[in-house]
Amino acid sequence: MNDKRRVISEVEVKAMDRISVRVCSGTTCYVLGGSELMDLARTLPPGWRDRVQVEGAPCLDLCRSPGQARPPFVKVGDRVVAEASVEKVVAALRELLA
Amino acid sequence: MSLDNEAVLLKREILIRVATLAHEGTLTTQLRKLPYEMTAAGRPSYRCCVHHERAILRDRVLAVLGSAIEERDESVDLNEAAVEAWERTGPDAFPLTVVDEACKGCVRSHFTVTNACQGCVARSCRNSCPQGSIVVQGGRASIDPETCINCGKCQEACPYHAIIHLPVPCEEACPVGAVTKGPDGKETIDPDKCILCGRCIGACPFGAVMEKSDVVRIVRALGDDRPLVALVAPSVLGQFPGTLAQIYGAIHALGFIDVKEVAEGAEQTAAHEAQEWAHGQASGQAFLATSCCPAWVRASRAIPGMGAFVSTTPSPMVFAARAARTAHPGAQLVFVGPCTAKRREALDTAEVDAVLTFEELGALFVARGIEVGQAEPFPLKAHRPEGRGFALSGGVAAAVAATGVTGLKPELINGLTRKSLNLLKVYAKGKGQGNLVEVMACEGGCVAGPGKVCSVKVALTHWDQEAK
């Protein structure tokens, strides 16, 4: 019983350690190039799969915030990647995973 | 042609900005500022100076307003052009325009020796040249442009890959030789030769070929009393986030009173075309060429002898429009698809009142703050998968086959190029192998149309998930 509980908590800890990648699926981001990020999860290096959690997100509202940052937006952990491409997201992840 | 071509993204941004101003009712007072806002500090710059950048943006805005850049007075004020666009009653007959300020005026397509040339003893380039156009002087080969015939043999022969081909991308993309240089070196499009396939739009690395958009007129029509009905091409799947029913729901939310699937019309096209094919076979006709791709129908007119073989069956858009007119007499019909040639088919057949590309539809969604992924699904009619299949290469032939005709030998022309046009010329002489020739001007089918939002690869993932 005790053993089992220990295993579950380890899995949970592992899940919390995963870096979340949230791809904005708002219409603006999608139309301005975000469509090409939709299969981001499949293009990441296989070794990263259990360390990175990629998900589509409803509009992150970043396109409406003031400033010169432009869509499409992706949030890698707490970091906002503007004018996102697969290459830029991979670069941001590489820094965080290093 | 999506994320990797920033010119496409610039165009989309202008579409969004223009649609937003038009929707907010400030187009005729605020449009003048647009080139300045888009060249604010921190924005990427592509040209020699901010003034040239703005001049080009201004011309791009004019194209989005539906104007022919070739005919515009340089001193025209954008706010005044906006008034004109708002009052316009219909689009220009020829839907393409060249932004000559943006056109690089690429040097004539040619081969050139780069500084990777080692001036080697082999002299393979010189020895392979049938024209004697290559001399080696001062340790470096050079090509005499006067006598070179662009055969490319020297490029193949060079052991250092030091010889490159510099193309004129728009001319190379055009399957019918409609894009050529004017006396000033800038490109022009011959409207009589052009088949409106739209390849040059995506091919130009400077984004100099643009469509004359009808988006302002549609924004205005959405605010008018006369109801609007959208006829949506099956290739819409994957062009926006969300499900097919949500995309239809989002279009409904724009103010269209009804949203019809052109796939329904496609089923009628397939049934008629199958009958036409069977009749033709019975009377000894060598083959039937499909007629749903309007760029191909235009191209077929220039192939001697082809006319007798091209189906006279109306396109899915036409069938869908006729059904919509019956269901909604008095409504204005807007075809929504990825196609440049449909703009002209709409005018020529007078079956629909306006054409909107997926890019333009996206601009309307953004202007109105409509989140497609959160939209209320619109109830779609039960359908057979064959109608939606018209969006992909092979889909029309499959739909004709599914009607149950026997003895069908389809040949698929997946993309109109110089090469595939040559094959079609062979067919016109009665020397083809197949008896049903499905022609789609875009490689992959309509999902690859010039007015698409997402790449074909992304669209196909959506098809795998939903179309079945």
Side-chain angles (χ1 to χ4, degrees), chain B residues 48-72:
Chain B
C48 54
C49 63
V50 74
H51 309 290
H52 195 207
E53 194 88 49
R54 282 179 195 145
I56 294 169
L57 283 169
R58 186 183 149 284
D59 281 357
R60 291 193 193 283
V61 172
L62 287 172
V64 166
L65 293 178
S67 303
I69 306 304
E70 296 86 350
E71 290 157 19
R72 296 305 297 208

mmCIF file with all atom_site columns, all heavy atoms in Angstrom, chain B residues 48-72:
data_model
loop_
_atom_site.group_PDB
_atom_site.id
_atom_site.type_symbol
_atom_site.label_atom_id
_atom_site.label_alt_id
_atom_site.label_comp_id
_atom_site.label_asym_id
_atom_site.label_entity_id
_atom_site.label_seq_id
_atom_site.pdbx_PDB_ins_code
_atom_site.Cartn_x
_atom_site.Cartn_y
_atom_site.Cartn_z
_atom_site.occupancy
_atom_site.B_iso_or_equiv
_atom_site.pdbx_formal_charge
_atom_site.auth_seq_id
_atom_site.auth_comp_id
_atom_site.auth_asym_id
_atom_site.auth_atom_id
_atom_site.pdbx_PDB_model_num
ATOM 1   N N   . CYS B 1 48 ? 14.840  49.814 -48.570 1.00 0.00 ? 48 CYS B N   1
ATOM 2   C CA  . CYS B 1 48 ? 15.977  50.707 -48.376 1.00 0.00 ? 48 CYS B CA  1
ATOM 3   C C   . CYS B 1 48 ? 15.716  51.758 -47.316 1.00 0.00 ? 48 CYS B C   1
ATOM 4   O O   . CYS B 1 48 ? 16.600  52.148 -46.558 1.00 0.00 ? 48 CYS B O   1
ATOM 5   C CB  . CYS B 1 48 ? 16.329  51.372 -49.704 1.00 0.00 ? 48 CYS B CB  1
ATOM 6   S SG  . CYS B 1 48 ? 14.916  52.211 -50.470 1.00 0.00 ? 48 CYS B SG  1
ATOM 7   N N   . CYS B 1 49 ? 14.491  52.263 -47.242 1.00 0.00 ? 49 CYS B N   1
ATOM 8   C CA  . CYS B 1 49 ? 14.178  53.311 -46.276 1.00 0.00 ? 49 CYS B CA  1
ATOM 9   C C   . CYS B 1 49 ? 12.703  53.264 -45.939 1.00 0.00 ? 49 CYS B C   1
ATOM 10  O O   . CYS B 1 49 ? 11.914  52.629 -46.637 1.00 0.00 ? 49 CYS B O   1
ATOM 11  C CB  . CYS B 1 49 ? 14.525  54.689 -46.822 1.00 0.00 ? 49 CYS B CB  1
ATOM 12  S SG  . CYS B 1 49 ? 13.553  55.108 -48.279 1.00 0.00 ? 49 CYS B SG  1
ATOM 13  N N   . VAL B 1 50 ? 12.340  53.962 -44.886 1.00 0.00 ? 50 VAL B N   1
ATOM 14  C CA  . VAL B 1 50 ? 10.965  53.927 -44.412 1.00 0.00 ? 50 VAL B CA  1
ATOM 15  C C   . VAL B 1 50 ? 9.996   54.500 -45.448 1.00 0.00 ? 50 VAL B C   1
ATOM 16  O O   . VAL B 1 50 ? 8.837   54.096 -45.536 1.00 0.00 ? 50 VAL B O   1
ATOM 17  C CB  . VAL B 1 50 ? 10.861  54.631 -43.034 1.00 0.00 ? 50 VAL B CB  1
ATOM 18  C CG1 . VAL B 1 50 ? 10.962  56.145 -43.191 1.00 0.00 ? 50 VAL B CG1 1
ATOM 19  C CG2 . VAL B 1 50 ? 9.586   54.240 -42.321 1.00 0.00 ? 50 VAL B CG2 1
ATOM 20  N N   . HIS B 1 51 ? 10.494  55.422 -46.271 1.00 0.00 ? 51 HIS B N   1
ATOM 21  C CA  . HIS B 1 51 ? 9.609   56.056 -47.259 1.00 0.00 ? 51 HIS B CA  1
ATOM 22  C C   . HIS B 1 51 ? 9.195   55.070 -48.352 1.00 0.00 ? 51 HIS B C   1
ATOM 23  O O   . HIS B 1 51 ? 8.044   55.041 -48.771 1.00 0.00 ? 51 HIS B O   1
ATOM 24  C CB  . HIS B 1 51 ? 10.302  57.284 -47.869 1.00 0.00 ? 51 HIS B CB  1
ATOM 25  C CG  . HIS B 1 51 ? 10.825  58.200 -46.812 1.00 0.00 ? 51 HIS B CG  1
ATOM 26  N ND1 . HIS B 1 51 ? 9.997   58.940 -46.022 1.00 0.00 ? 51 HIS B ND1 1
ATOM 27  C CD2 . HIS B 1 51 ? 12.093  58.439 -46.388 1.00 0.00 ? 51 HIS B CD2 1
ATOM 28  C CE1 . HIS B 1 51 ? 10.736  59.613 -45.138 1.00 0.00 ? 51 HIS B CE1 1
ATOM 29  N NE2 . HIS B 1 51 ? 12.012  59.318 -45.348 1.00 0.00 ? 51 HIS B NE2 1
ATOM 30  N N   . HIS B 1 52 ? 10.175  54.279 -48.781 1.00 0.00 ? 52 HIS B N   1
ATOM 31  C CA  . HIS B 1 52 ? 9.860   53.259 -49.781 1.00 0.00 ? 52 HIS B CA  1
ATOM 32  C C   . HIS B 1 52 ? 8.928   52.206 -49.178 1.00 0.00 ? 52 HIS B C   1
ATOM 33  O O   . HIS B 1 52 ? 7.973   51.762 -49.801 1.00 0.00 ? 52 HIS B O   1
ATOM 34  C CB  . HIS B 1 52 ? 11.149  52.619 -50.296 1.00 0.00 ? 52 HIS B CB  1
ATOM 35  C CG  . HIS B 1 52 ? 10.956  51.829 -51.556 1.00 0.00 ? 52 HIS B CG  1
ATOM 36  N ND1 . HIS B 1 52 ? 11.758  50.766 -51.902 1.00 0.00 ? 52 HIS B ND1 1
ATOM 37  C CD2 . HIS B 1 52 ? 10.030  51.923 -52.536 1.00 0.00 ? 52 HIS B CD2 1
ATOM 38  C CE1 . HIS B 1 52 ? 11.328  50.261 -53.044 1.00 0.00 ? 52 HIS B CE1 1
ATOM 39  N NE2 . HIS B 1 52 ? 10.284  50.945 -53.459 1.00 0.00 ? 52 HIS B NE2 1
ATOM 40  N N   . GLU B 1 53 ? 9.220   51.834 -47.939 1.00 0.00 ? 53 GLU B N   1
ATOM 41  C CA  . GLU B 1 53 ? 8.388   50.870 -47.210 1.00 0.00 ? 53 GLU B CA  1
ATOM 42  C C   . GLU B 1 53 ? 6.930   51.353 -47.186 1.00 0.00 ? 53 GLU B C   1
ATOM 43  O O   . GLU B 1 53 ? 6.002   50.598 -47.472 1.00 0.00 ? 53 GLU B O   1
ATOM 44  C CB  . GLU B 1 53 ? 8.933   50.778 -45.776 1.00 0.00 ? 53 GLU B CB  1
ATOM 45  C CG  . GLU B 1 53 ? 8.430   49.608 -44.985 1.00 0.00 ? 53 GLU B CG  1
ATOM 46  C CD  . GLU B 1 53 ? 9.295   48.363 -45.173 1.00 0.00 ? 53 GLU B CD  1
ATOM 47  O OE1 . GLU B 1 53 ? 10.516  48.460 -45.048 1.00 0.00 ? 53 GLU B OE1 1
ATOM 48  O OE2 . GLU B 1 53 ? 8.717   47.308 -45.466 1.00 0.00 ? 53 GLU B OE2 1
ATOM 49  N N   . ARG B 1 54 ? 6.754   52.627 -46.860 1.00 0.00 ? 54 ARG B N   1
ATOM 50  C CA  . ARG B 1 54 ? 5.391   53.175 -46.771 1.00 0.00 ? 54 ARG B CA  1
ATOM 51  C C   . ARG B 1 54 ? 4.726   53.245 -48.143 1.00 0.00 ? 54 ARG B C   1
ATOM 52  O O   . ARG B 1 54 ? 3.527   52.989 -48.272 1.00 0.00 ? 54 ARG B O   1
ATOM 53  C CB  . ARG B 1 54 ? 5.421   54.584 -46.149 1.00 0.00 ? 54 ARG B CB  1
ATOM 54  C CG  . ARG B 1 54 ? 5.591   54.539 -44.659 1.00 0.00 ? 54 ARG B CG  1
ATOM 55  C CD  . ARG B 1 54 ? 5.638   55.932 -44.063 1.00 0.00 ? 54 ARG B CD  1
ATOM 56  N NE  . ARG B 1 54 ? 6.146   55.851 -42.702 1.00 0.00 ? 54 ARG B NE  1
ATOM 57  C CZ  . ARG B 1 54 ? 6.908   56.762 -42.131 1.00 0.00 ? 54 ARG B CZ  1
ATOM 58  N NH1 . ARG B 1 54 ? 7.258   57.862 -42.797 1.00 0.00 ? 54 ARG B NH1 1
ATOM 59  N NH2 . ARG B 1 54 ? 7.324   56.600 -40.889 1.00 0.00 ? 54 ARG B NH2 1
ATOM 60  N N   . ALA B 1 55 ? 5.517   53.606 -49.160 1.00 0.00 ? 55 ALA B N   1
ATOM 61  C CA  . ALA B 1 55 ? 4.952   53.701 -50.519 1.00 0.00 ? 55 ALA B CA  1
ATOM 62  C C   . ALA B 1 55 ? 4.414   52.332 -50.942 1.00 0.00 ? 55 ALA B C   1
ATOM 63  O O   . ALA B 1 55 ? 3.338   52.227 -51.546 1.00 0.00 ? 55 ALA B O   1
ATOM 64  C CB  . ALA B 1 55 ? 6.013   54.183 -51.497 1.00 0.00 ? 55 ALA B CB  1
ATOM 65  N N   . ILE B 1 56 ? 5.166   51.286 -50.593 1.00 0.00 ? 56 ILE B N   1
ATOM 66  C CA  . ILE B 1 56 ? 4.734   49.939 -50.967 1.00 0.00 ? 56 ILE B CA  1
ATOM 67  C C   . ILE B 1 56 ? 3.511   49.525 -50.149 1.00 0.00 ? 56 ILE B C   1
ATOM 68  O O   . ILE B 1 56 ? 2.548   48.974 -50.689 1.00 0.00 ? 56 ILE B O   1
ATOM 69  C CB  . ILE B 1 56 ? 5.887   48.927 -50.792 1.00 0.00 ? 56 ILE B CB  1
ATOM 70  C CG1 . ILE B 1 56 ? 7.002   49.251 -51.786 1.00 0.00 ? 56 ILE B CG1 1
ATOM 71  C CG2 . ILE B 1 56 ? 5.392   47.502 -50.985 1.00 0.00 ? 56 ILE B CG2 1
ATOM 72  C CD1 . ILE B 1 56 ? 8.284   48.495 -51.534 1.00 0.00 ? 56 ILE B CD1 1
ATOM 73  N N   . LEU B 1 57 ? 3.540   49.826 -48.858 1.00 0.00 ? 57 LEU B N   1
ATOM 74  C CA  . LEU B 1 57 ? 2.399   49.473 -48.010 1.00 0.00 ? 57 LEU B CA  1
ATOM 75  C C   . LEU B 1 57 ? 1.136   50.169 -48.508 1.00 0.00 ? 57 LEU B C   1
ATOM 76  O O   . LEU B 1 57 ? 0.055   49.586 -48.532 1.00 0.00 ? 57 LEU B O   1
ATOM 77  C CB  . LEU B 1 57 ? 2.671   49.872 -46.545 1.00 0.00 ? 57 LEU B CB  1
ATOM 78  C CG  . LEU B 1 57 ? 3.611   48.934 -45.798 1.00 0.00 ? 57 LEU B CG  1
ATOM 79  C CD1 . LEU B 1 57 ? 4.034   49.558 -44.472 1.00 0.00 ? 57 LEU B CD1 1
ATOM 80  C CD2 . LEU B 1 57 ? 2.949   47.580 -45.539 1.00 0.00 ? 57 LEU B CD2 1
ATOM 81  N N   . ARG B 1 58 ? 1.309   51.399 -48.930 1.00 0.00 ? 58 ARG B N   1
ATOM 82  C CA  . ARG B 1 58 ? 0.185   52.174 -49.445 1.00 0.00 ? 58 ARG B CA  1
ATOM 83  C C   . ARG B 1 58 ? -0.407  51.473 -50.682 1.00 0.00 ? 58 ARG B C   1
ATOM 84  O O   . ARG B 1 58 ? -1.626  51.319 -50.798 1.00 0.00 ? 58 ARG B O   1
ATOM 85  C CB  . ARG B 1 58 ? 0.708   53.565 -49.801 1.00 0.00 ? 58 ARG B CB  1
ATOM 86  C CG  . ARG B 1 58 ? -0.328  54.542 -50.217 1.00 0.00 ? 58 ARG B CG  1
ATOM 87  C CD  . ARG B 1 58 ? 0.379   55.845 -50.606 1.00 0.00 ? 58 ARG B CD  1
ATOM 88  N NE  . ARG B 1 58 ? -0.386  56.501 -51.620 1.00 0.00 ? 58 ARG B NE  1
ATOM 89  C CZ  . ARG B 1 58 ? -0.416  56.122 -52.886 1.00 0.00 ? 58 ARG B CZ  1
ATOM 90  N NH1 . ARG B 1 58 ? 0.276   55.077 -53.288 1.00 0.00 ? 58 ARG B NH1 1
ATOM 91  N NH2 . ARG B 1 58 ? -1.161  56.752 -53.756 1.00 0.00 ? 58 ARG B NH2 1
ATOM 92  N N   . ASP B 1 59 ? 0.460   51.004 -51.567 1.00 0.00 ? 59 ASP B N   1
ATOM 93  C CA  . ASP B 1 59 ? -0.020  50.291 -52.750 1.00 0.00 ? 59 ASP B CA  1
ATOM 94  C C   . ASP B 1 59 ? -0.676  48.963 -52.373 1.00 0.00 ? 59 ASP B C   1
ATOM 95  O O   . ASP B 1 59 ? -1.656  48.549 -52.982 1.00 0.00 ? 59 ASP B O   1
ATOM 96  C CB  . ASP B 1 59 ? 1.137   50.043 -53.726 1.00 0.00 ? 59 ASP B CB  1
ATOM 97  C CG  . ASP B 1 59 ? 1.458   51.294 -54.546 1.00 0.00 ? 59 ASP B CG  1
ATOM 98  O OD1 . ASP B 1 59 ? 0.739   52.303 -54.375 1.00 0.00 ? 59 ASP B OD1 1
ATOM 99  O OD2 . ASP B 1 59 ? 2.413   51.259 -55.340 1.00 0.00 ? 59 ASP B OD2 1
ATOM 100 N N   . ARG B 1 60 ? -0.117  48.304 -51.366 1.00 0.00 ? 60 ARG B N   1
ATOM 101 C CA  . ARG B 1 60 ? -0.730  47.042 -50.915 1.00 0.00 ? 60 ARG B CA  1
ATOM 102 C C   . ARG B 1 60 ? -2.134  47.312 -50.379 1.00 0.00 ? 60 ARG B C   1
ATOM 103 O O   . ARG B 1 60 ? -3.057  46.523 -50.601 1.00 0.00 ? 60 ARG B O   1
ATOM 104 C CB  . ARG B 1 60 ? 0.116   46.400 -49.813 1.00 0.00 ? 60 ARG B CB  1
ATOM 105 C CG  . ARG B 1 60 ? 1.458   45.856 -50.291 1.00 0.00 ? 60 ARG B CG  1
ATOM 106 C CD  . ARG B 1 60 ? 2.078   44.971 -49.207 1.00 0.00 ? 60 ARG B CD  1
ATOM 107 N NE  . ARG B 1 60 ? 3.465   44.668 -49.483 1.00 0.00 ? 60 ARG B NE  1
ATOM 108 C CZ  . ARG B 1 60 ? 3.872   43.772 -50.368 1.00 0.00 ? 60 ARG B CZ  1
ATOM 109 N NH1 . ARG B 1 60 ? 2.988   43.093 -51.072 1.00 0.00 ? 60 ARG B NH1 1
ATOM 110 N NH2 . ARG B 1 60 ? 5.158   43.553 -50.564 1.00 0.00 ? 60 ARG B NH2 1
ATOM 111 N N   . VAL B 1 61 ? -2.286  48.415 -49.664 1.00 0.00 ? 61 VAL B N   1
ATOM 112 C CA  . VAL B 1 61 ? -3.605  48.773 -49.144 1.00 0.00 ? 61 VAL B CA  1
ATOM 113 C C   . VAL B 1 61 ? -4.576  48.997 -50.304 1.00 0.00 ? 61 VAL B C   1
ATOM 114 O O   . VAL B 1 61 ? -5.722  48.549 -50.270 1.00 0.00 ? 61 VAL B O   1
ATOM 115 C CB  . VAL B 1 61 ? -3.522  50.027 -48.251 1.00 0.00 ? 61 VAL B CB  1
ATOM 116 C CG1 . VAL B 1 61 ? -4.916  50.513 -47.864 1.00 0.00 ? 61 VAL B CG1 1
ATOM 117 C CG2 . VAL B 1 61 ? -2.698  49.740 -47.009 1.00 0.00 ? 61 VAL B CG2 1
ATOM 118 N N   . LEU B 1 62 ? -4.086  49.655 -51.353 1.00 0.00 ? 62 LEU B N   1
ATOM 119 C CA  . LEU B 1 62 ? -4.952  49.908 -52.522 1.00 0.00 ? 62 LEU B CA  1
ATOM 120 C C   . LEU B 1 62 ? -5.437  48.594 -53.133 1.00 0.00 ? 62 LEU B C   1
ATOM 121 O O   . LEU B 1 62 ? -6.598  48.479 -53.519 1.00 0.00 ? 62 LEU B O   1
ATOM 122 C CB  . LEU B 1 62 ? -4.198  50.736 -53.573 1.00 0.00 ? 62 LEU B CB  1
ATOM 123 C CG  . LEU B 1 62 ? -3.980  52.215 -53.202 1.00 0.00 ? 62 LEU B CG  1
ATOM 124 C CD1 . LEU B 1 62 ? -3.050  52.881 -54.218 1.00 0.00 ? 62 LEU B CD1 1
ATOM 125 C CD2 . LEU B 1 62 ? -5.296  52.969 -53.126 1.00 0.00 ? 62 LEU B CD2 1
ATOM 126 N N   . ALA B 1 63 ? -4.558  47.593 -53.204 1.00 0.00 ? 63 ALA B N   1
ATOM 127 C CA  . ALA B 1 63 ? -4.965  46.287 -53.744 1.00 0.00 ? 63 ALA B CA  1
ATOM 128 C C   . ALA B 1 63 ? -6.027  45.659 -52.846 1.00 0.00 ? 63 ALA B C   1
ATOM 129 O O   . ALA B 1 63 ? -7.007  45.089 -53.330 1.00 0.00 ? 63 ALA B O   1
ATOM 130 C CB  . ALA B 1 63 ? -3.754  45.366 -53.881 1.00 0.00 ? 63 ALA B CB  1
ATOM 131 N N   . VAL B 1 64 ? -5.824  45.786 -51.526 1.00 0.00 ? 64 VAL B N   1
ATOM 132 C CA  . VAL B 1 64 ? -6.802  45.238 -50.577 1.00 0.00 ? 64 VAL B CA  1
ATOM 133 C C   . VAL B 1 64 ? -8.136  45.973 -50.716 1.00 0.00 ? 64 VAL B C   1
ATOM 134 O O   . VAL B 1 64 ? -9.203  45.413 -50.459 1.00 0.00 ? 64 VAL B O   1
ATOM 135 C CB  . VAL B 1 64 ? -6.227  45.293 -49.137 1.00 0.00 ? 64 VAL B CB  1
ATOM 136 C CG1 . VAL B 1 64 ? -7.306  45.076 -48.100 1.00 0.00 ? 64 VAL B CG1 1
ATOM 137 C CG2 . VAL B 1 64 ? -5.122  44.251 -48.981 1.00 0.00 ? 64 VAL B CG2 1
ATOM 138 N N   . LEU B 1 65 ? -8.087  47.233 -51.152 1.00 0.00 ? 65 LEU B N   1
ATOM 139 C CA  . LEU B 1 65 ? -9.328  47.984 -51.403 1.00 0.00 ? 65 LEU B CA  1
ATOM 140 C C   . LEU B 1 65 ? -9.963  47.578 -52.742 1.00 0.00 ? 65 LEU B C   1
ATOM 141 O O   . LEU B 1 65 ? -11.035 48.064 -53.083 1.00 0.00 ? 65 LEU B O   1
ATOM 142 C CB  . LEU B 1 65 ? -9.057  49.490 -51.419 1.00 0.00 ? 65 LEU B CB  1
ATOM 143 C CG  . LEU B 1 65 ? -8.645  50.153 -50.104 1.00 0.00 ? 65 LEU B CG  1
ATOM 144 C CD1 . LEU B 1 65 ? -8.373  51.633 -50.331 1.00 0.00 ? 65 LEU B CD1 1
ATOM 145 C CD2 . LEU B 1 65 ? -9.700  49.974 -49.025 1.00 0.00 ? 65 LEU B CD2 1
ATOM 146 N N   . GLY B 1 66 ? -9.269  46.760 -53.514 1.00 0.00 ? 66 GLY B N   1
ATOM 147 C CA  . GLY B 1 66 ? -9.833  46.285 -54.774 1.00 0.00 ? 66 GLY B CA  1
ATOM 148 C C   . GLY B 1 66 ? -9.366  47.051 -55.999 1.00 0.00 ? 66 GLY B C   1
ATOM 149 O O   . GLY B 1 66 ? -9.894  46.867 -57.089 1.00 0.00 ? 66 GLY B O   1
ATOM 150 N N   . SER B 1 67 ? -8.355  47.930 -55.828 1.00 0.00 ? 67 SER B N   1
ATOM 151 C CA  . SER B 1 67 ? -7.895  48.760 -56.953 1.00 0.00 ? 67 SER B CA  1
ATOM 152 C C   . SER B 1 67 ? -6.815  48.072 -57.769 1.00 0.00 ? 67 SER B C   1
ATOM 153 O O   . SER B 1 67 ? -6.059  47.250 -57.247 1.00 0.00 ? 67 SER B O   1
ATOM 154 C CB  . SER B 1 67 ? -7.299  50.071 -56.437 1.00 0.00 ? 67 SER B CB  1
ATOM 155 O OG  . SER B 1 67 ? -8.219  50.756 -55.654 1.00 0.00 ? 67 SER B OG  1
ATOM 156 N N   . ALA B 1 68 ? -6.731  48.460 -59.034 1.00 0.00 ? 68 ALA B N   1
ATOM 157 C CA  . ALA B 1 68 ? -5.621  48.027 -59.879 1.00 0.00 ? 68 ALA B CA  1
ATOM 158 C C   . ALA B 1 68 ? -4.480  49.019 -59.669 1.00 0.00 ? 68 ALA B C   1
ATOM 159 O O   . ALA B 1 68 ? -4.624  50.199 -59.960 1.00 0.00 ? 68 ALA B O   1
ATOM 160 C CB  . ALA B 1 68 ? -6.050  48.014 -61.332 1.00 0.00 ? 68 ALA B CB  1
ATOM 161 N N   . ILE B 1 69 ? -3.352  48.528 -59.136 1.00 0.00 ? 69 ILE B N   1
ATOM 162 C CA  . ILE B 1 69 ? -2.218  49.419 -58.844 1.00 0.00 ? 69 ILE B CA  1
ATOM 163 C C   . ILE B 1 69 ? -1.719  50.080 -60.124 1.00 0.00 ? 69 ILE B C   1
ATOM 164 O O   . ILE B 1 69 ? -1.326  51.249 -60.129 1.00 0.00 ? 69 ILE B O   1
ATOM 165 C CB  . ILE B 1 69 ? -1.051  48.631 -58.199 1.00 0.00 ? 69 ILE B CB  1
ATOM 166 C CG1 . ILE B 1 69 ? -1.529  47.870 -56.969 1.00 0.00 ? 69 ILE B CG1 1
ATOM 167 C CG2 . ILE B 1 69 ? 0.100   49.543 -57.848 1.00 0.00 ? 69 ILE B CG2 1
ATOM 168 C CD1 . ILE B 1 69 ? -2.174  48.694 -55.914 1.00 0.00 ? 69 ILE B CD1 1
ATOM 169 N N   . GLU B 1 70 ? -1.767  49.309 -61.217 1.00 0.00 ? 70 GLU B N   1
ATOM 170 C CA  . GLU B 1 70 ? -1.247  49.805 -62.496 1.00 0.00 ? 70 GLU B CA  1
ATOM 171 C C   . GLU B 1 70 ? -1.940  51.097 -62.930 1.00 0.00 ? 70 GLU B C   1
ATOM 172 O O   . GLU B 1 70 ? -1.369  51.917 -63.627 1.00 0.00 ? 70 GLU B O   1
ATOM 173 C CB  . GLU B 1 70 ? -1.446  48.752 -63.598 1.00 0.00 ? 70 GLU B CB  1
ATOM 174 C CG  . GLU B 1 70 ? -0.675  47.461 -63.401 1.00 0.00 ? 70 GLU B CG  1
ATOM 175 C CD  . GLU B 1 70 ? -1.410  46.433 -62.518 1.00 0.00 ? 70 GLU B CD  1
ATOM 176 O OE1 . GLU B 1 70 ? -2.430  46.789 -61.902 1.00 0.00 ? 70 GLU B OE1 1
ATOM 177 O OE2 . GLU B 1 70 ? -0.931  45.283 -62.449 1.00 0.00 ? 70 GLU B OE2 1
ATOM 178 N N   . GLU B 1 71 ? -3.194  51.251 -62.513 1.00 0.00 ? 71 GLU B N   1
ATOM 179 C CA  . GLU B 1 71 ? -3.973  52.392 -63.011 1.00 0.00 ? 71 GLU B CA  1
ATOM 180 C C   . GLU B 1 71 ? -4.069  53.529 -62.012 1.00 0.00 ? 71 GLU B C   1
ATOM 181 O O   . GLU B 1 71 ? -4.730  54.532 -62.261 1.00 0.00 ? 71 GLU B O   1
ATOM 182 C CB  . GLU B 1 71 ? -5.398  51.923 -63.360 1.00 0.00 ? 71 GLU B CB  1
ATOM 183 C CG  . GLU B 1 71 ? -5.424  51.026 -64.586 1.00 0.00 ? 71 GLU B CG  1
ATOM 184 C CD  . GLU B 1 71 ? -6.651  50.126 -64.627 1.00 0.00 ? 71 GLU B CD  1
ATOM 185 O OE1 . GLU B 1 71 ? -7.646  50.426 -63.940 1.00 0.00 ? 71 GLU B OE1 1
ATOM 186 O OE2 . GLU B 1 71 ? -6.587  49.114 -65.353 1.00 0.00 ? 71 GLU B OE2 1
ATOM 187 N N   . ARG B 1 72 ? -3.409  53.370 -60.836 1.00 0.00 ? 72 ARG B N   1
ATOM 188 C CA  . ARG B 1 72 ? -3.590  54.399 -59.811 1.00 0.00 ? 72 ARG B CA  1
ATOM 189 C C   . ARG B 1 72 ? -2.641  55.555 -60.007 1.00 0.00 ? 72 ARG B C   1
ATOM 190 O O   . ARG B 1 72 ? -1.485  55.390 -60.364 1.00 0.00 ? 72 ARG B O   1
ATOM 191 C CB  . ARG B 1 72 ? -3.359  53.825 -58.408 1.00 0.00 ? 72 ARG B CB  1
ATOM 192 C CG  . ARG B 1 72 ? -4.353  52.777 -58.004 1.00 0.00 ? 72 ARG B CG  1
ATOM 193 C CD  . ARG B 1 72 ? -5.777  53.199 -58.084 1.00 0.00 ? 72 ARG B CD  1
ATOM 194 N NE  . ARG B 1 72 ? -6.135  54.286 -57.200 1.00 0.00 ? 72 ARG B NE  1
ATOM 195 C CZ  . ARG B 1 72 ? -7.364  54.468 -56.716 1.00 0.00 ? 72 ARG B CZ  1
ATOM 196 N NH1 . ARG B 1 72 ? -8.329  53.653 -57.010 1.00 0.00 ? 72 ARG B NH1 1
ATOM 197 N NH2 . ARG B 1 72 ? -7.626  55.487 -55.933 1.00 0.00 ? 72 ARG B NH2 1
#
